[in-house]
Amino acid sequence: MCSTVSVSSSYSEGFAPDVMRVEVTISGKTGSRQASASAFNCLRRDVIDALAGIGVSEGEVKSGYFGVSALRDDDGEFTGEFGYYGSLSFGTACAQERYDEVWAALVGVDPQVSFDCDYDLSDWEGAREQILRKTMEIGRRRAALLADAVGCDLGQIASVRNDVRANEAYYDMAPVGARMMAASEAEAPEFVPEPIDVRCSVELAYELVPRVRG
């Protein structure tokens, strides 16, 4: 008697990233908390102005974490200085020309300003749906072969489980050393936006329908 057939399938595909997400880090130290906040705000404005020069408006730049802490030596004694740290981020087109513009705009702002970028997809949901659809089809074909082997056809799906994941495509845009150069002296690292691998695994169970023989 036919009942169900269970199969598993997997599929992965690389998607070319179309978004470049840039995170700018501003850090330094001063003699007071107030001076730290002032220094950060000043550098933040320099970054905003530099980005405006390449068409990134202030409204597109998101502010992240900001903190100030008392600096201490190895014995735990206060050094008399305060360290500050804050971040800004924005997204832009993932293209060689745009990459070069971002590098040139930010690398010369100040040695206390560093930046990294990672590559992303603008339509993650669409990529997941595409991979899931293909993985499901692979599973259906396998189930059909097994059903045919016992003289049955596939009925409705009895159960389904799926897991869709993607790799982390990350690239350090401003390595230590290059961060310290003036824009006119610095050469941007190679632009290598690796494909974002989206992979899916599916477990399917189909009802089996006895084949009517004529």
Side-chain angles (χ1 to χ4, degrees), residues 16-48:
D18 57 358
V19 176
M20 183 170 65
R21 303 198 184 281
V22 182
E23 181 167 343
V24 181
T25 300
I26 301 172
S27 61
K29 56 185 179 180
T30 67
S32 70
R33 296 182 189 277
Q34 183 177 0
S36 292
S38 296
F40 173 80
N41 288 333
C42 182
L43 288 172
R44 179 186 182 281
R45 175 46 54 188
D46 290 342
V47 170
I48 294 296

Side-chain angles (χ1 to χ4, degrees), residues 12-124:
S12 66
E13 185 174 331
F15 290 80
D18 57 358
V19 176
M20 183 170 65
R21 303 198 184 281
V22 182
E23 181 167 343
V24 181
T25 300
I26 301 172
S27 61
K29 56 185 179 180
T30 67
S32 70
R33 296 182 189 277
Q34 183 177 0
S36 292
S38 296
F40 173 80
N41 288 333
C42 182
L43 288 172
R44 179 186 182 281
R45 175 46 54 188
D46 290 342
V47 170
I48 294 296
D49 291 344
L51 293 176
I54 58 171
V56 179
S57 68
E58 185 168 358
E60 296 176 84
V61 181
K62 297 180 180 179
S63 296
Y65 172 83
F66 173 74
V68 179
S69 60
L71 300 180
R72 301 184 182 280
D73 59 23
D74 293 339
D75 297 322
E77 297 294 327
F78 177 46
T79 64
E81 293 183 308
F82 292 84
Y84 63 89
Y85 172 92
S87 65
L88 305 170
S89 62
F90 64 95
T92 190
C94 184
Q96 177 73 61
E97 181 180 357
R98 194 57 171 159
Y99 174 88
D100 292 340
E101 291 175 345
V102 170
W103 171 270
L106 292 177
V107 74
V109 173
D110 190 275
Q112 295 179 121
V113 175
S114 60
F115 50 99
D116 304 289
C117 89
D118 65 83
Y119 304 117
D120 204 352
L121 297 176
S122 59
D123 185 15
W124 270 107

Side-chain angles (χ1 to χ4, degrees), residues 64-198:
Y65 172 83
F66 173 74
V68 179
S69 60
L71 300 180
R72 301 184 182 280
D73 59 23
D74 293 339
D75 297 322
E77 297 294 327
F78 177 46
T79 64
E81 293 183 308
F82 292 84
Y84 63 89
Y85 172 92
S87 65
L88 305 170
S89 62
F90 64 95
T92 190
C94 184
Q96 177 73 61
E97 181 180 357
R98 194 57 171 159
Y99 174 88
D100 292 340
E101 291 175 345
V102 170
W103 171 270
L106 292 177
V107 74
V109 173
D110 190 275
Q112 295 179 121
V113 175
S114 60
F115 50 99
D116 304 289
C117 89
D118 65 83
Y119 304 117
D120 204 352
L121 297 176
S122 59
D123 185 15
W124 270 107
E125 195 59 36
R128 291 189 181 98
E129 289 180 358
Q130 178 177 324
I131 295 303
L132 178 57
R133 194 177 300 114
K134 291 183 178 181
T135 311
M136 291 278 289
E137 177 58 25
I138 292 172
R140 189 199 66 79
R141 292 200 301 266
R142 289 178 178 173
L145 286 174
L146 294 173
D148 184 66
V150 295
C152 293
D153 294 319
L154 292 182
Q156 296 182 337
I157 294 177
S159 66
V160 59
R161 295 175 59 187
N162 73 91
D163 181 29
V164 184
R165 301 185 181 185
N167 68 314
E168 294 291 333
Y170 180 82
Y171 184 72
D172 184 2
M173 192 172 175
V176 174
R179 290 174 177 156
M180 304 300 290
M181 301 179 189
S184 60
E185 300 172 343
E187 180 180 353
E190 186 178 0
F191 178 74
V192 189
E194 297 181 359
I196 297 176
D197 183 44
V198 182

